[in-house]
Amino acid sequence: SVANTPEDDAPNRYSRAERTTYSRYSRDANSSGSSLPSNTLEKRIEELERELAKERQENARLMKMAQDKEELIGKLKEEIDLLNR
């Protein structure tokens, strides 16, 4: 049996995400000799920024709900302790 040398391991040197990202950018840069028009990219960036803002807002809302529930749990535990005495 032949032992793997570092050169044999080249495909596994980078994570799958890195390889996917590299191949995607490489493919995009080489597709039909040009990349997407900049206005299309700007629109996509704006769309993603709006989506990110919505996700952050939803995350903040969920964090507030979780904090409120934790406070309520604490108050209920105190009330249970008082009732048990």
Side-chain angles (χ1 to χ4, degrees):
S1 104
V2 177
N4 281 344
T5 62
E7 293 79 22
D8 293 339
D9 199 30
N12 297 320
R13 187 173 297 143
Y14 302 104
S15 73
R16 184 164 55 115
E18 289 171 325
R19 288 195 306 270
T20 302
T21 301
Y22 175 77
S23 65
R24 178 175 54 227
Y25 288 128
S26 175
R27 183 173 57 248
D28 287 349
N30 294 331
S31 64
S32 68
S34 66
S35 61
L36 292 172
S38 63
N39 63 346
T40 303
L41 293 176
E42 289 173 8
K43 287 179 182 177
R44 180 68 175 139
I45 288 170
E46 290 172 4
E47 178 184 322
L48 290 172
E49 286 173 343
R50 285 191 298 272
E51 188 176 329
L52 179 60
K54 288 179 186 177
E55 291 293 330
R56 285 183 173 158
Q57 189 175 18
E58 177 69 4
N59 188 36
R61 187 183 70 79
L62 292 172
M63 292 292 288
K64 175 79 169 91
M65 284 177 56
Q67 288 172 348
D68 291 348
K69 287 181 180 183
E70 287 295 323
E71 288 177 18
L72 181 59
I73 289 170
K75 289 178 183 176
L76 290 172
K77 283 181 179 179
E78 289 176 13
E79 192 170 333
I80 290 170
D81 286 345
L82 288 174
L83 289 172
N84 285 333
R85 292 180 187 168

